[in-house]
Short mmCIF file of all heavy atoms in Angstrom, two decimals:
data_model
loop_
_atom_site.label_atom_id
_atom_site.label_comp_id
_atom_site.label_asym_id
_atom_site.label_seq_id
_atom_site.Cartn_x
_atom_site.Cartn_y
_atom_site.Cartn_z
N ALA A 227 12.85 3.68 -11.98
CA ALA A 227 13.40 4.81 -11.51
C ALA A 227 14.05 5.77 -12.57
O ALA A 227 13.88 7.00 -12.51
CB ALA A 227 14.62 4.52 -10.59
N LYS A 228 14.43 5.17 -13.72
CA LYS A 228 14.88 6.01 -14.86
C LYS A 228 13.68 6.69 -15.48
O LYS A 228 13.80 7.85 -15.93
CB LYS A 228 15.63 5.11 -15.85
CG LYS A 228 16.99 4.63 -15.42
CD LYS A 228 17.62 3.76 -16.45
CE LYS A 228 19.04 3.35 -16.00
NZ LYS A 228 19.70 2.38 -16.92
N ILE A 229 12.58 6.00 -15.52
CA ILE A 229 11.34 6.66 -16.04
C ILE A 229 10.96 7.79 -15.10
O ILE A 229 10.62 8.91 -15.54
CB ILE A 229 10.17 5.61 -16.15
CG1 ILE A 229 10.52 4.54 -17.25
CG2 ILE A 229 8.90 6.28 -16.50
CD1 ILE A 229 9.61 3.38 -17.32
N GLY A 230 10.99 7.42 -13.79
CA GLY A 230 10.61 8.53 -12.81
C GLY A 230 11.53 9.74 -12.78
O GLY A 230 11.07 10.90 -12.57
N ALA A 231 12.78 9.56 -13.08
CA ALA A 231 13.72 10.64 -13.06
C ALA A 231 13.41 11.66 -14.07
O ALA A 231 13.70 12.83 -13.93
CB ALA A 231 15.18 10.10 -13.23
N ARG A 232 12.73 11.28 -15.16
CA ARG A 232 12.29 12.23 -16.20
C ARG A 232 11.07 13.13 -15.75
O ARG A 232 10.73 14.05 -16.37
CB ARG A 232 11.94 11.46 -17.54
CG ARG A 232 13.23 10.86 -18.10
CD ARG A 232 12.95 10.49 -19.61
NE ARG A 232 12.10 9.35 -19.70
CZ ARG A 232 12.58 8.15 -19.79
NH1 ARG A 232 13.75 7.88 -19.66
NH2 ARG A 232 11.72 7.07 -19.90
N ILE A 233 10.46 12.66 -14.67
CA ILE A 233 9.31 13.45 -14.05
C ILE A 233 9.81 14.38 -13.03
O ILE A 233 9.33 15.52 -12.99
CB ILE A 233 8.31 12.43 -13.55
CG1 ILE A 233 7.82 11.44 -14.61
CG2 ILE A 233 7.10 13.20 -12.95
CD1 ILE A 233 7.26 10.23 -14.12
N GLY A 234 10.66 14.02 -12.22
CA GLY A 234 11.18 14.80 -11.13
C GLY A 234 12.40 14.21 -10.42
O GLY A 234 12.55 12.96 -10.38
N ALA A 235 13.32 15.06 -9.85
CA ALA A 235 14.46 14.58 -9.34
C ALA A 235 14.31 13.71 -8.06
O ALA A 235 15.13 12.85 -7.78
CB ALA A 235 15.38 15.83 -8.90
N ASP A 236 13.21 13.91 -7.31
CA ASP A 236 12.97 13.15 -6.13
C ASP A 236 12.29 11.81 -6.44
O ASP A 236 12.16 10.93 -5.44
CB ASP A 236 12.21 13.89 -5.07
CG ASP A 236 12.98 15.06 -4.47
OD1 ASP A 236 14.18 15.14 -4.76
OD2 ASP A 236 12.40 15.97 -3.76
N VAL A 237 11.71 11.62 -7.52
CA VAL A 237 10.91 10.50 -7.89
C VAL A 237 11.67 9.17 -7.65
O VAL A 237 11.05 8.14 -7.13
CB VAL A 237 10.26 10.53 -9.24
CG1 VAL A 237 9.40 9.30 -9.60
CG2 VAL A 237 9.37 11.82 -9.39
N PRO A 238 12.86 8.98 -8.10
CA PRO A 238 13.55 7.63 -7.91
C PRO A 238 13.61 7.17 -6.53
O PRO A 238 13.42 5.99 -6.22
CB PRO A 238 14.98 7.97 -8.48
CG PRO A 238 14.81 9.00 -9.51
CD PRO A 238 13.70 9.89 -9.02
N PHE A 239 13.80 8.08 -5.51
CA PHE A 239 13.81 7.70 -4.15
C PHE A 239 12.51 6.94 -3.81
O PHE A 239 12.53 5.89 -3.15
CB PHE A 239 14.05 8.93 -3.15
CG PHE A 239 13.68 8.58 -1.71
CD1 PHE A 239 14.50 7.82 -0.94
CD2 PHE A 239 12.46 9.13 -1.17
CE1 PHE A 239 14.13 7.48 0.34
CE2 PHE A 239 12.15 8.76 0.11
CZ PHE A 239 12.97 7.92 0.88
N PHE A 240 11.43 7.50 -4.20
CA PHE A 240 10.13 6.97 -3.77
C PHE A 240 9.86 5.61 -4.56
O PHE A 240 9.21 4.74 -4.11
CB PHE A 240 9.00 7.91 -4.09
CG PHE A 240 9.03 9.13 -3.16
CD1 PHE A 240 9.40 10.28 -3.61
CD2 PHE A 240 8.61 8.95 -1.84
CE1 PHE A 240 9.44 11.51 -2.77
CE2 PHE A 240 8.63 10.09 -0.98
CZ PHE A 240 9.08 11.35 -1.43
N ILE A 241 10.43 5.49 -5.75
CA ILE A 241 10.32 4.30 -6.58
C ILE A 241 10.90 3.11 -5.83
O ILE A 241 10.34 2.01 -5.72
CB ILE A 241 11.01 4.44 -7.93
CG1 ILE A 241 10.29 5.40 -8.74
CG2 ILE A 241 11.12 3.03 -8.61
CD1 ILE A 241 9.03 4.96 -9.47
N TYR A 242 12.08 3.29 -5.19
CA TYR A 242 12.83 2.22 -4.53
C TYR A 242 12.11 1.81 -3.19
O TYR A 242 12.37 0.72 -2.67
CB TYR A 242 14.26 2.59 -4.26
CG TYR A 242 15.11 2.57 -5.48
CD1 TYR A 242 15.43 3.79 -6.08
CD2 TYR A 242 15.42 1.39 -6.16
CE1 TYR A 242 16.26 3.77 -7.32
CE2 TYR A 242 16.20 1.36 -7.37
CZ TYR A 242 16.56 2.61 -7.91
OH TYR A 242 17.31 2.58 -9.02
N GLU A 243 11.30 2.69 -2.65
CA GLU A 243 10.52 2.35 -1.43
C GLU A 243 11.39 2.01 -0.22
O GLU A 243 11.01 1.29 0.67
CB GLU A 243 9.56 1.22 -1.74
CG GLU A 243 8.49 1.47 -2.81
CD GLU A 243 7.52 0.38 -3.06
OE1 GLU A 243 7.90 -0.65 -3.70
OE2 GLU A 243 6.36 0.50 -2.56
N TYR A 244 12.58 2.68 -0.19
CA TYR A 244 13.37 2.45 0.99
C TYR A 244 12.90 3.31 2.06
O TYR A 244 12.31 4.40 1.92
CB TYR A 244 14.81 2.96 0.72
CG TYR A 244 15.53 2.11 -0.32
CD1 TYR A 244 16.34 2.73 -1.30
CD2 TYR A 244 15.47 0.79 -0.45
CE1 TYR A 244 17.07 2.05 -2.24
CE2 TYR A 244 16.12 0.02 -1.33
CZ TYR A 244 16.93 0.61 -2.29
OH TYR A 244 17.56 -0.10 -3.27
N ASP A 245 13.06 2.90 3.35
CA ASP A 245 12.66 3.74 4.60
C ASP A 245 13.70 4.86 4.71
O ASP A 245 13.34 5.95 5.12
CB ASP A 245 12.61 2.87 5.77
CG ASP A 245 11.43 2.02 5.90
OD1 ASP A 245 10.41 2.35 5.22
OD2 ASP A 245 11.44 1.01 6.57
N SER A 246 14.96 4.57 4.41
CA SER A 246 16.01 5.54 4.54
C SER A 246 16.97 5.36 3.38
O SER A 246 17.37 4.21 3.18
CB SER A 246 16.72 5.44 5.93
OG SER A 246 17.73 6.38 6.08
N ALA A 247 17.50 6.45 2.81
CA ALA A 247 18.41 6.31 1.70
C ALA A 247 19.32 7.57 1.59
O ALA A 247 18.92 8.69 1.88
CB ALA A 247 17.69 6.04 0.38
N ASN A 248 20.54 7.32 1.18
CA ASN A 248 21.41 8.42 0.78
C ASN A 248 21.08 8.73 -0.63
O ASN A 248 21.13 7.90 -1.51
CB ASN A 248 22.90 8.07 0.91
CG ASN A 248 23.32 7.91 2.40
OD1 ASN A 248 22.73 8.66 3.32
ND2 ASN A 248 24.30 7.04 2.74
N VAL A 249 20.89 10.04 -0.92
CA VAL A 249 20.51 10.51 -2.26
C VAL A 249 21.57 11.54 -2.68
O VAL A 249 21.81 12.52 -2.05
CB VAL A 249 19.12 11.09 -2.23
CG1 VAL A 249 18.72 11.55 -3.67
CG2 VAL A 249 18.13 10.06 -1.78
N THR A 250 22.18 11.26 -3.89
CA THR A 250 23.16 12.23 -4.44
C THR A 250 22.88 12.42 -5.89
O THR A 250 21.86 12.02 -6.38
CB THR A 250 24.63 11.63 -4.13
OG1 THR A 250 24.69 10.26 -4.71
CG2 THR A 250 24.91 11.52 -2.76
N GLY A 251 23.92 13.07 -6.57
CA GLY A 251 23.69 13.46 -7.94
C GLY A 251 22.61 14.61 -7.94
O GLY A 251 22.68 15.45 -7.14
N ILE A 252 21.71 14.58 -8.90
CA ILE A 252 20.63 15.50 -8.89
C ILE A 252 19.36 14.85 -8.40
O ILE A 252 18.29 15.33 -8.53
CB ILE A 252 20.35 16.08 -10.26
CG1 ILE A 252 20.05 14.97 -11.34
CG2 ILE A 252 21.52 16.95 -10.78
CD1 ILE A 252 19.59 15.58 -12.67
N GLY A 253 19.58 13.77 -7.66
CA GLY A 253 18.51 12.95 -7.05
C GLY A 253 18.36 11.56 -7.62
O GLY A 253 17.61 10.74 -7.11
N GLU A 254 19.08 11.28 -8.72
CA GLU A 254 18.93 10.03 -9.40
C GLU A 254 19.83 8.89 -8.77
O GLU A 254 19.50 7.68 -9.08
CB GLU A 254 19.30 10.11 -10.84
CG GLU A 254 20.80 10.05 -11.30
CD GLU A 254 21.58 11.33 -10.97
OE1 GLU A 254 21.07 12.25 -10.21
OE2 GLU A 254 22.71 11.45 -11.47
N VAL A 255 20.73 9.20 -7.93
CA VAL A 255 21.60 8.14 -7.28
C VAL A 255 21.01 7.92 -5.84
O VAL A 255 21.07 8.75 -4.94
CB VAL A 255 23.04 8.57 -7.17
CG1 VAL A 255 23.87 7.40 -6.52
CG2 VAL A 255 23.57 8.96 -8.53
N VAL A 256 20.36 6.78 -5.73
CA VAL A 256 19.69 6.34 -4.44
C VAL A 256 20.28 5.13 -3.86
O VAL A 256 20.17 4.11 -4.54
CB VAL A 256 18.18 6.20 -4.67
CG1 VAL A 256 17.40 5.85 -3.39
CG2 VAL A 256 17.58 7.43 -5.34
N GLU A 257 20.82 5.20 -2.71
CA GLU A 257 21.46 3.99 -2.01
C GLU A 257 20.72 3.84 -0.73
O GLU A 257 20.75 4.72 0.15
CB GLU A 257 22.90 4.20 -1.89
CG GLU A 257 23.67 4.39 -3.27
CD GLU A 257 25.14 4.78 -3.07
OE1 GLU A 257 25.43 5.78 -2.36
OE2 GLU A 257 26.03 4.01 -3.64
N GLU A 258 20.23 2.61 -0.42
CA GLU A 258 19.63 2.35 0.83
C GLU A 258 20.58 2.57 1.92
O GLU A 258 21.70 2.14 1.92
CB GLU A 258 18.98 0.95 0.82
CG GLU A 258 18.24 0.59 2.06
CD GLU A 258 17.64 -0.74 2.05
OE1 GLU A 258 17.99 -1.55 1.27
OE2 GLU A 258 16.69 -0.99 2.90
N PHE A 259 20.04 3.18 3.02
CA PHE A 259 20.83 3.30 4.27
C PHE A 259 20.11 2.51 5.36
O PHE A 259 18.99 2.84 5.73
CB PHE A 259 20.93 4.79 4.66
CG PHE A 259 21.84 5.02 5.84
CD1 PHE A 259 23.21 5.05 5.61
CD2 PHE A 259 21.35 5.06 7.13
CE1 PHE A 259 24.10 5.23 6.73
CE2 PHE A 259 22.20 5.22 8.20
CZ PHE A 259 23.61 5.31 8.02
N LYS A 260 20.82 1.43 5.84
CA LYS A 260 20.20 0.64 6.87
C LYS A 260 20.35 1.27 8.22
O LYS A 260 21.38 1.56 8.73
CB LYS A 260 20.96 -0.72 6.85
CG LYS A 260 20.94 -1.54 5.56
CD LYS A 260 19.61 -2.26 5.43
CE LYS A 260 19.60 -3.20 4.28
NZ LYS A 260 18.32 -3.95 4.04
N GLU A 261 19.18 1.55 8.84
CA GLU A 261 19.10 2.06 10.20
C GLU A 261 17.72 1.69 10.74
O GLU A 261 16.84 1.38 9.98
CB GLU A 261 19.38 3.54 10.21
CG GLU A 261 18.43 4.41 9.43
CD GLU A 261 18.74 5.88 9.56
OE1 GLU A 261 19.42 6.26 10.40
OE2 GLU A 261 18.28 6.66 8.67
N GLU A 262 17.62 1.88 12.09
CA GLU A 262 16.30 1.65 12.65
C GLU A 262 15.25 2.63 12.16
O GLU A 262 15.57 3.78 11.94
CB GLU A 262 16.39 1.86 14.22
CG GLU A 262 17.24 0.86 14.90
CD GLU A 262 16.62 -0.59 14.81
OE1 GLU A 262 15.40 -0.63 15.08
OE2 GLU A 262 17.30 -1.49 14.54
N PRO A 263 13.98 2.21 11.94
CA PRO A 263 12.96 3.11 11.46
C PRO A 263 12.80 4.22 12.39
O PRO A 263 12.83 4.06 13.59
CB PRO A 263 11.76 2.22 11.33
CG PRO A 263 12.28 0.80 11.22
CD PRO A 263 13.57 0.75 12.03
N LEU A 264 12.61 5.41 11.87
CA LEU A 264 12.38 6.65 12.65
C LEU A 264 10.95 7.00 12.68
O LEU A 264 10.22 6.93 11.78
CB LEU A 264 13.26 7.78 12.06
CG LEU A 264 14.69 7.53 11.89
CD1 LEU A 264 15.35 8.85 11.26
CD2 LEU A 264 15.40 7.27 13.23
N ASN A 265 10.56 7.46 13.93
CA ASN A 265 9.26 7.94 14.17
C ASN A 265 9.36 9.51 14.11
O ASN A 265 9.97 10.18 14.90
CB ASN A 265 8.76 7.54 15.55
CG ASN A 265 7.28 7.92 15.77
OD1 ASN A 265 6.59 8.30 14.86
ND2 ASN A 265 6.85 7.84 17.01
N ILE A 266 8.74 10.04 13.01
CA ILE A 266 8.99 11.42 12.73
C ILE A 266 7.67 12.23 12.83
O ILE A 266 6.60 11.76 12.33
CB ILE A 266 9.46 11.55 11.23
CG1 ILE A 266 10.91 11.02 11.20
CG2 ILE A 266 9.51 13.04 10.77
CD1 ILE A 266 11.45 10.84 9.72
N GLU A 267 7.75 13.30 13.44
CA GLU A 267 6.61 14.25 13.56
C GLU A 267 6.85 15.48 12.55
O GLU A 267 8.02 15.97 12.56
CB GLU A 267 6.37 14.81 14.94
CG GLU A 267 5.19 15.73 15.03
CD GLU A 267 5.07 16.23 16.52
OE1 GLU A 267 5.66 15.69 17.50
OE2 GLU A 267 4.30 17.23 16.72
N VAL A 268 5.87 15.85 11.79
CA VAL A 268 6.04 16.86 10.77
C VAL A 268 4.97 17.98 11.11
O VAL A 268 3.85 17.76 11.49
CB VAL A 268 5.73 16.38 9.36
CG1 VAL A 268 5.78 17.49 8.35
CG2 VAL A 268 6.79 15.32 8.97
N PHE A 269 5.51 19.17 10.97
CA PHE A 269 4.63 20.38 11.11
C PHE A 269 4.86 21.29 9.86
O PHE A 269 5.95 21.56 9.51
CB PHE A 269 4.88 21.23 12.36
CG PHE A 269 4.11 22.45 12.38
CD1 PHE A 269 2.76 22.43 12.75
CD2 PHE A 269 4.66 23.74 12.05
CE1 PHE A 269 1.96 23.58 12.74
CE2 PHE A 269 3.92 24.88 12.11
CZ PHE A 269 2.62 24.79 12.42
N THR A 270 3.63 21.69 9.25
CA THR A 270 3.75 22.47 8.02
C THR A 270 2.84 23.68 8.25
O THR A 270 1.68 23.62 8.42
CB THR A 270 3.19 21.72 6.76
OG1 THR A 270 3.93 20.50 6.60
CG2 THR A 270 3.42 22.57 5.52
N PRO A 271 3.50 24.94 8.27
CA PRO A 271 2.67 26.17 8.39
C PRO A 271 1.74 26.33 7.20
O PRO A 271 2.17 26.32 6.04
CB PRO A 271 3.77 27.32 8.38
CG PRO A 271 5.02 26.56 8.70
CD PRO A 271 4.93 25.24 8.22
N LYS A 272 0.47 26.39 7.45
CA LYS A 272 -0.55 26.38 6.31
C LYS A 272 -0.40 27.67 5.50
O LYS A 272 -0.74 27.69 4.26
CB LYS A 272 -1.90 26.34 6.97
CG LYS A 272 -2.23 25.01 7.55
CD LYS A 272 -3.67 24.83 8.00
CE LYS A 272 -4.02 23.50 8.50
NZ LYS A 272 -5.42 23.36 9.00
#
C-alpha cells in the first residue's frame, strides 16, 4: 500500500482488496468496513 500510494491516492484501497472500506487522509488511510456485500449497478455516459 505504501508503494501504491506513490502512484495514486486511491491505489491503497485496491491493494487491501476489501469489499467495503472507510478511506480518509488523502486516500492512504484505509480501514475495512464490515457490511453485507452490495449489488451495484453503474452507468457511465460515454
Side-chain angles (χ1 to χ4, degrees):
K228 286 180 180 177
I229 295 172
R232 292 198 285 273
I233 301 156
D236 291 350
V237 177
F239 164 74
F240 293 105
I241 293 282
Y242 286 107
E243 299 182 284
Y244 297 141
D245 285 338
S246 180
N248 289 332
V249 179
T250 55
I252 58 172
E254 82 282 14
V255 182
V256 180
E257 297 174 306
E258 184 176 16
F259 187 83
K260 298 282 191 180
E261 63 181 339
E262 290 295 316
L264 301 179
N265 187 12
I266 294 171
E267 181 180 345
V268 174
F269 174 75
T270 305
K272 290 183 179 180

